Amino acid sequence: MASQLDIPCLDCRNPAGIDDRPYVLLCGNQLQLQATGRKAPGPVTVDFVGGALAHRRKYGGGKGQQIAKAVGIRSGFYPRVVDATAGLGRDAFVLASLGCDVMMLERNRVVRALLADGLRRLGEAAETDRELAEIASRLHLCETDISAVDWLAQQAAESLPVVYLDPMFPERGKSAKVKKEMAAFHQLVGGDEDADALLEPAFAACYYRTVVKRPRLAPLLAGKKPSLSLEGKSGRFDIYTKHGIPH
């Protein structure tokens, strides 16, 4: 794995005793991204089976969720979605659990390895859980280093029903405080400084709409005004529509 990801293999060292690297990958029953040092917070992993995503799958509000409205889900219509900035795959899993077929793009090799490990464990759990099996069949990972901008630019015009974008927004000020356990992830990924370049190829490739998830007070992606926005307490969905959703 170290060879595949082009990172050094540190063998069996305790992350608490490492001070020359900010984070490490721990291999075991599940792949974990762990910050180093004595007071480091807990690890980051992709868990599509339990934890917060299991709770949201069961009690999250179904088609009434803003993300469902944003991508255009309605009874009998579950568009295919390309999540071009998958990250830890949480929104992609929610969309798959709601009935959409979702392709995840993630350019960071380490994050992509975390996603692949999460999908592996989802597949194992799906062997004895019909609901998870249906979700697993709709959730896919693009195994390539190509950037989302280049991948989208290679797609035929209007060939993707919905493109979903959630670029990492550079955190500033007090609102910049991220959950401690996510510190290593943010340090690894950083802010998507080239995020503005995503909108044009995404909109060219989509048929129905491109959806951009942003912090509530963040500027518009690429400065482009959306067709409409859905705003929540801490975030919003900017929706750039092309063709109408079928009724």
Side-chain angles (χ1 to χ4, degrees), residues 19-174:
D19 56 12
D20 58 339
R21 302 179 188 280
Y23 50 81
V24 293
L25 270 178
L26 300 178
C27 295
N29 292 331
Q30 58 184 13
L31 195 62
Q32 300 176 326
L33 181 67
Q34 174 65 62
T36 57
R38 286 190 304 111
K39 296 184 179 180
V44 173
T45 189
V46 172
D47 186 2
F48 293 134
V49 179
L53 283 180
H55 186 272
R56 186 167 178 182
R57 172 168 58 92
K58 296 173 182 176
Y59 311 109
K63 298 183 185 69
Q65 299 175 72
Q66 279 201 321
I67 190 172
K69 297 176 182 177
V71 302
I73 292 174
R74 59 185 56 172
S75 182
F77 182 74
Y78 307 92
R80 184 163 53 90
V81 179
V82 170
D83 183 350
T85 53
L88 295 173
R90 293 169 180 170
D91 286 346
F93 179 83
V94 170
L95 291 171
S97 70
L98 293 173
C100 295
D101 193 86
V102 185
M103 170 64 75
M104 298 183 289
L105 307 181
E106 175 51 55
R107 63 181 174 182
N108 187 288
R109 288 183 180 182
V110 172
V111 180
R112 208 162 62 240
L114 291 170
L115 285 169
D117 182 68
L119 286 174
R120 175 186 63 80
R121 286 180 283 107
L122 173 62
E124 291 173 353
E127 293 178 2
T128 55
D129 186 316
R130 180 177 295 180
E131 183 181 358
L132 287 179
E134 291 178 358
I135 296 172
S137 71
R138 294 191 289 262
L139 195 57
H140 318 281
L141 177 63
C142 181
E143 297 279 2
T144 177
D145 284 335
I146 191 172
S147 72
V149 171
D150 291 340
W151 190 93
L152 290 167
Q154 292 177 7
Q155 307 309 303
E158 300 189 354
S159 61
L160 308 173
V162 175
V163 178
Y164 183 83
L165 305 174
D166 180 17
M168 190 75 72
F169 187 70
E171 313 275 353
R172 296 184 179 90
K174 291 184 178 179

Side-chain angles (χ1 to χ4, degrees), residues 171 174-183 186:
E171 313 275 353
K174 291 184 178 179
S175 62
K177 302 295 184 182
V178 297
K179 291 182 179 179
K180 288 184 177 181
E181 67 270 17
M182 289 294 287
H186 280 254

